[in-house]
Amino acid sequence: MRIEHRTNAAEQGVTAAYNLLHPEARRPFAPMPYFWSDQYDMKVQAFGHLRGHDEIVVVEGEMSERRFLAIYRTGDRLAGALAVGMPPKVMRPWRQAIAMGTSWHEAIRAWAWATDADAKEIAHGEPSF
């Protein structure tokens, strides 16, 4: 995947420096795609892979109000998150979970615990939005 973002150059440098200093433990350069944009009065943020998913669940806000956070499942993994009209801080825990390769069920359980939501139906893959 081609990622053209100003931070991509910095991330490449960090990986190159690490690999130079630790040749016995080299890491491939595999950045997680993300973007953000301010579209007039609306902030749009995305992290992870939002294509080829199996399910999308709105975990905060309402799409009809143009203010929501949706998470994406591919297989048994949390693959991406999309926030529209939300403050940047709502993405932080999801970014970390996606980068760590968190399973879908773990992500749903953590969300339910943090929000006191009943995620039983979602965790079993029944409803989405």
Side-chain angles (χ1 to χ4, degrees), residues 28-42:
F29 180 64
M32 187 62 65
Y34 78 96
F35 75 89
W36 62 267
S37 179
D38 289 321
Q39 298 294 316
Y40 298 98
D41 62 343
M42 187 181 315

Side-chain angles (χ1 to χ4, degrees), residues 6-91:
R6 64 180 175 76
T7 59
N8 195 41
E11 292 169 354
Q12 286 178 10
V14 169
T15 301
Y18 178 88
N19 289 339
L20 267 166
L21 296 171
H22 304 281
E24 71 288 347
R26 290 185 176 166
R27 297 180 188 162
F29 180 64
M32 187 62 65
Y34 78 96
F35 75 89
W36 62 267
S37 179
D38 289 321
Q39 298 294 316
Y40 298 98
D41 62 343
M42 187 181 315
K43 181 174 290 305
V44 179
Q45 307 165 73
F47 189 80
H49 298 277
L50 306 184
R51 291 182 139 182
H53 56 273
D54 298 317
E55 182 176 9
I56 304 171
V57 175
V58 174
V59 294
E60 192 170 334
E62 296 289 331
M63 290 182 68
S64 61
E65 295 174 12
R66 297 176 54 179
R67 186 177 186 282
F68 64 91
L69 171 66
I71 58 173
Y72 292 68
R73 176 181 67 81
T74 301
D76 67 345
R77 295 278 163 216
L78 176 63
L82 173 68
V84 174
M86 303 292 281
K89 67 181 180 180
V90 301
M91 283 292 270

Side-chain angles (χ1 to χ4, degrees), residues 93-94 107-117:
W94 297 104
I108 293 294
R109 275 195 299 271
W111 165 71
W113 180 82
T115 61
D116 290 330

